[in-house]
Amino acid sequence: MKKILFAFIVVAFLFTCSASIYYLLKALTTELSQPVNAEELADYHFVVIPEEVNNEYWRLVEKGARDAAQHYGVSIEYTGPFTANVGEHIKSIEKAVAGKADGVITQALIEEEFTPLFDQMIQKGTPIVTIDTDAPKSKRMAYIGTNNYYAGVLAGKETANELNGVGRIAIITGSFHSANQQLRVQGFKDVIEEYEDMEIVAIEESNISLIQAAERTYQIMNEHTNISAFYGTSALDAIGVASVLQSLDKNRNIFVIGFDILPDTLDLIRDGSIDATVVQEPYEMGYRSIEVMLSLVQGKRVSEFYYTDTGIIRQEDLKKVDES
Ligand code: BGC
């Protein structure tokens, strides 16, 4: 009797083991062999969350994302704070995850806050890809955007060359707390510090608002003398700087370098109110982010970093483009 009981236990044990192995393998292969037909792709719903939905720069990201979504037949939602607000930004991410989005594409605005947030959201099962601003220590799957430190270095070199290594510089930055802005400032500072006769005399925050960029420029111009250059580190900053310098009629002596190629920035470069700008590729970021997210949910391998192109353009470069 004991022998029969023992044999029965062994058989039951073996059966349980093989069933577990079968179901484990089944689960794994289901995860790896993702659907590829059009109907199933249409079920994918990705959410793109910028720091400010109605910002012209982010509208270009949105356009890229929408074009890619249409091309690949997936659906996207573009949502987030109307004007920059970290609390609302975080809520939008949490809502997208609670609403069972198939993937969230967003900025990692403040590294210390967004790193644990992303890790929590990923644990709940939603893949996250960062765009424009990265949180490299989080478990986010990939980053698509400018190499922000390198972009800051480019701006620093351009400024140092223009001023022949001598001058007093003021910076207007989008935010003291945003990782991308910090890197753009750091890259710039690291170059300027190599020159004995160059000094950064002021750094103020615009909260990525054109009006605040203009207000801070006024303030700096009131508080400091002999400013030789302004560096604006987010899309609207140099536009704000230029408008103030134009009104003070001091723009001719002051070198202005900004970020991005929004239509207003290009017009101001053409008329000489902005001297140079660091190019970013927001449309490309939006488009690629959808491609990367799609690969992820289909179980394909993706690279961790997709750095979009960056470089400096000045009036002479625009002339060449305009004439061609
Ligand atoms: C930055 C974005 C920012 C935007 C604000 C861009 O240069 O890359 O992070 O939201 O400026 O205008």
Side-chain angles (χ1 to χ4, degrees), residues 101-139:
D102 293 303
V104 170
I105 295 160
T106 190
Q107 263 167 301
L109 265 190
I110 300 177
E111 232 191 309
E112 311 83 65
E113 274 184 60
F114 281 59
T115 299
L117 173 77
F118 288 165
D119 291 352
Q120 256 177 39
M121 300 296 115
I122 288 164
Q123 217 176 2
K124 292 188 176 176
T126 308
I128 293 190
V129 162
T130 49
I131 187 167
D132 175 89
T133 314
D134 195 16
K137 292 188 193 118
S138 73
K139 297 195 171 73

Side-chain angles (χ1 to χ4, degrees), residues 240-307:
V241 170
S243 68
V244 171
L245 296 187
Q246 270 169 348
S247 72
L248 297 176
D249 199 26
K250 288 195 173 160
N251 53 331
R252 272 185 226 122
N253 315 329
I254 299 178
F255 177 71
V256 179
I257 181 163
F259 251 83
D260 297 300
I261 47 169
L262 298 182
D264 282 353
T265 313
L266 295 183
D267 287 347
L268 290 165
I269 292 181
R270 283 192 183 93
D271 83 7
S273 310
I274 294 179
D275 297 282
T277 195
V278 181
V279 179
Q280 293 200 92
E281 302 286 346
Y283 178 90
E284 170 78 9
M285 290 180 208
Y287 200 99
R288 278 233 142 202
S289 68
I290 298 297
E291 290 185 324
V292 168
M293 191 52 99
L294 192 52
S295 296
L296 276 170
V297 295
Q298 290 180 327
K300 294 181 192 157
R301 273 175 162 270
V302 300
S303 304
E304 188 182 352
F305 298 101
Y306 289 87
Y307 286 125

Side-chain angles (χ1 to χ4, degrees), residues 306-322:
Y306 289 87
Y307 286 125
T308 43
D309 287 347
T310 186
I312 305 262
I313 59 164
R314 302 183 59 128
Q315 202 176 42
E316 44 281 22
D317 305 304
L318 283 186
K319 271 194 192 141
K320 278 182 216 149
V321 176
D322 291 345

Side-chain angles (χ1 to χ4, degrees), residues 12-192:
F13 177 73
L14 288 176
F15 176 77
T16 320
C17 286
S18 34
S20 317
I21 291 169
Y22 170 78
Y23 285 111
L24 181 68
L25 283 177
K26 195 163 183 275
L28 283 178
T29 45
T30 313
E31 203 180 305
L32 293 175
S33 58
Q34 297 291 327
V36 283
N37 67 56
E39 263 172 38
E40 282 177 88
L41 282 183
D43 288 343
Y44 285 129
H45 175 80
F46 302 143
V47 183
V48 180
I49 304 170
E51 71 176 307
E52 186 169 275
V53 280
N54 214 19
N55 184 295
E56 259 188 281
Y57 169 89
W58 285 101
R59 288 291 180 197
L60 292 170
V61 174
E62 179 196 10
K63 173 110 184 45
R66 288 206 186 280
D67 285 355
Q70 198 183 6
H71 180 80
Y72 291 101
V74 297
S75 78
I76 66 154
E77 190 184 338
Y78 174 76
T79 183
F82 194 71
T83 48
N85 179 313
V86 179
E88 273 184 43
H89 191 143
I90 292 176
K91 267 193 207 139
S92 303
I93 296 173
E94 288 170 341
K95 261 197 226 159
V97 171
K100 299 267 174 274
D102 293 303
V104 170
I105 295 160
T106 190
Q107 263 167 301
L109 265 190
I110 300 177
E111 232 191 309
E112 311 83 65
E113 274 184 60
F114 281 59
T115 299
L117 173 77
F118 288 165
D119 291 352
Q120 256 177 39
M121 300 296 115
I122 288 164
Q123 217 176 2
K124 292 188 176 176
T126 308
I128 293 190
V129 162
T130 49
I131 187 167
D132 175 89
T133 314
D134 195 16
K137 292 188 193 118
S138 73
K139 297 195 171 73
R140 59 88 183 106
M141 282 75 186
Y143 167 68
I144 299 127
T146 305
N147 179 333
N148 286 300
Y149 178 82
Y150 172 68
V153 168
L154 287 183
K157 286 187 175 164
E158 193 71 18
T159 308
N161 281 343
E162 176 70 28
L163 303 183
N164 290 320
V166 184
R168 291 158 57 78
I169 304 165
I171 301 178
I172 306 283
T173 186
S175 157
F176 289 144
H177 310 287
S178 299
N180 63 345
Q181 303 296 300
Q182 289 171 339
L183 288 166
R184 291 174 195 180
V185 170
Q186 195 54 53
F188 186 87
K189 271 187 178 166
D190 288 349
V191 173
I192 300 303

